[in-house]
Amino acid sequence: MTDAAPVTMPAYTPEEWTAHVVGLGGKPFHARIVREQVFGQGVLDYAAMTSLPTALREALAETAPILSSREVDRSTARDRTTKLLLGFPRGDGDEATVETVYIPPRRADSPKGATLCVSSQVGCPVACPFCASGRLGLVRNLEAHEIIEQYVRGRAIGPLSRSVVMGIGEPLLNLDHLVRALDVVHDEMGIGARKITVSTVGFPARLRRAAEANPRFQLAISLHTPFDDQRDELVPAMKGTQIDEVIAAADHWFDVTGREVTYEYVLLGGTNDTPDHARALARRLAGKRCTVNLIPYNPVQGDAYHRPAPDDVEGFRAALEQAGCVATVRWSRGMDSDAACGQLRVRHAAG
Ligand code: SAH
């Protein structure tokens, strides 16, 4: 909490929060009510917390705003996927924007809550040529409370059952803040470790360090190709890091945590979807307990890739299965409002 910006409620640890509320004349149970209302229910305004004394509500509103971001934009796709563009203050008067996507269950009458896709950084330094998020490079890391705030905003839309850290940014480059935020998501929003997935390009040394701490999330590694020279091109920030090292670090994760790894593979028509790719990928993953998640490419304006035909996607999946890999296909949601994987971007918001 060294920010110059006002300290918001999600920036307090539970202990600090109790001290703050008591300092304002409240009781420890008032502190718990606020956390339950904000994290458990997505209440965004102290005025709505009618079980608190009026004077305390007013004092809290003055001293610890619930949100530091503003909702710059909101768009809802035909499949009800809702994309929020959030602007965080930057201190220099400018605004740092990230996108957060609320993905409801496919069936409107499902009893399940939504999946929330959150961003870990403002911009992204990885610069994958098929992804919109890295177009402007990295602006800055998100603070833990800014990551939490995305969840609070998501919960304000509706109940959440799962979360994927697959928005803008590379989570392993901001892991301390992310882990602090996920502690709140886990402990106070009730989303279990098996329902939180963090997706990374898999910096081996960072991944090994992360595994030792046994963090409470599932790991997904964006591999995209079994060939080293092509991965240098498709995942530029990993240039020079051998795929073998990435897979060895993922094996270490499995050994230490006991949790299986998912390999993500954006399917780019004519680029990484040949039978050679399927065979070489299966060879690399032979005998491992893991899943390959194929993501048919979602179009990003101005790039040269195309989405393979559904039959080709299925053909690639079947080839992997035949070679002994477990492979699934993820057809992204929210495509008609640019809320699908790879379509999120930093926008320069005016005013
Ligand atoms: N930096 C992290 C997390 C963000 S991306 C990572 O790379 O894993 C989350 C997933 O969306 C990654 O697997 C990424 O490769 C994929 N993705 C990016 N652009 C895409 C696109 N245009 N179409 C489909 N998936 C895409």
Side-chain angles (χ1 to χ4, degrees):
M1 282 192 288
T2 49
D3 286 353
V7 177
T8 58
M9 180 267 158
Y12 288 82
T13 65
E15 298 73 32
E16 290 168 342
W17 182 245
T18 303
H20 182 73
V21 170
V22 170
L24 295 174
K27 303 269 188 267
F29 77 88
H30 292 139
R32 281 198 300 277
I33 289 175
V34 174
R35 293 185 81 87
E36 209 286 316
Q37 292 271 295
V38 174
F39 300 137
Q41 310 295 327
V43 175
L44 302 182
D45 189 353
Y46 291 112
M49 300 181 196
T50 47
S51 54
L52 300 183
T54 314
L56 181 60
R57 277 187 256 159
E58 287 169 2
L60 287 171
E62 270 171 36
T63 57
I66 294 174
L67 302 169
S68 63
S69 63
R70 79 184 178 98
E71 186 178 306
V72 178
D73 193 24
R74 172 187 293 236
S75 53
T76 303
R78 276 191 300 278
D79 65 10
R80 296 172 294 116
T81 295
T82 298
K83 182 171 72 168
L84 300 177
L85 180 66
L86 302 178
F88 290 97
R90 267 207 340 201
D92 57 1
D94 212 340
E95 205 167 42
T97 56
V98 296
E99 294 184 311
T100 305
V101 187
Y102 177 92
I103 309 158
R106 278 179 203 275
R107 285 185 33 207
D109 60 351
S110 167
K112 281 204 215 123
T115 298
L116 195 74
C117 177
V118 301
S119 296
S120 55
Q121 297 183 306
V122 183
C124 182
V126 181
C128 303
F130 51 82
C131 178
S133 299
R135 292 279 162 90
L136 296 179
L138 178 68
V139 179
R140 69 163 168 85
N141 277 339
L142 286 173
E143 299 292 330
H145 68 87
E146 292 171 326
I147 299 172
I148 297 170
E149 208 167 307
Q150 296 175 67
Y151 286 96
V152 173
R153 296 259 192 196
R155 179 63 189 86
I157 297 176
L160 304 176
S161 292
R162 315 182 72 92
S163 175
V164 291
V165 183
M166 295 188 185
I168 299 167
E170 169 45 47
L172 277 191
L173 299 179
N174 190 21
L175 194 62
D176 289 351
H177 292 172
L178 177 63
V179 165
R180 257 195 282 151
L182 292 183
D183 282 344
V184 171
V185 173
H186 184 276
D187 296 341
E188 302 189 66
M189 302 186 89
I191 305 182
R194 273 171 306 167
K195 304 219 157 147
I196 300 173
T197 301
V198 172
S199 174
T200 170
V201 293
F203 297 98
R206 288 174 184 270
L207 199 49
R208 285 173 185 274
R209 265 203 312 277
E212 297 301 334
N214 200 4
R216 297 185 290 189
F217 56 74
Q218 300 285 114
L219 180 67
I221 296 188
S222 295
L223 201 61
H224 307 323
T225 175
F227 302 122
D228 282 311
D229 52 345
Q230 189 174 41
R231 193 160 196 260
D232 286 350
E233 204 178 293
L234 294 180
V235 190
M238 296 295 278
K239 209 174 175 117
T241 302
Q242 303 286 304
I243 292 173
D244 272 350
E245 294 172 54
V246 176
I247 294 178
D251 288 347
H252 171 256
W253 168 280
F254 178 61
D255 291 343
V256 172
T257 67
R259 276 173 267 141
E260 283 183 28
V261 173
T262 299
Y263 289 96
E264 293 167 282
Y265 195 106
V266 174
L267 269 183
L268 306 164
T271 299
N272 66 355
D273 65 343
T274 69
D276 259 4
H277 282 85
R279 271 192 299 274
L281 181 62
R283 257 199 315 277
R284 283 202 185 264
L285 302 181
K288 300 186 190 301
R289 279 182 44 195
C290 62
T291 301
V292 178
N293 195 204
L294 302 170
I295 317 169
Y297 168 69
N298 298 313
V300 171
Q301 208 186 6
D303 75 18
Y305 300 104
H306 71 267
R307 168 179 272 214
D311 280 355
D312 294 336
V313 172
E314 179 46 32
F316 195 86
R317 195 195 66 76
L320 287 177
E321 292 260 332
Q322 256 160 28
C325 282
V326 180
T328 56
V329 179
R330 180 166 87 220
W331 294 100
S332 298
R333 308 270 304 276
M335 265 182 62
D336 57 306
S337 68
D338 275 357
C341 288
Q343 295 181 317
L344 307 184
R345 61 179 76 226
V346 179
R347 244 163 268 200
H348 208 76

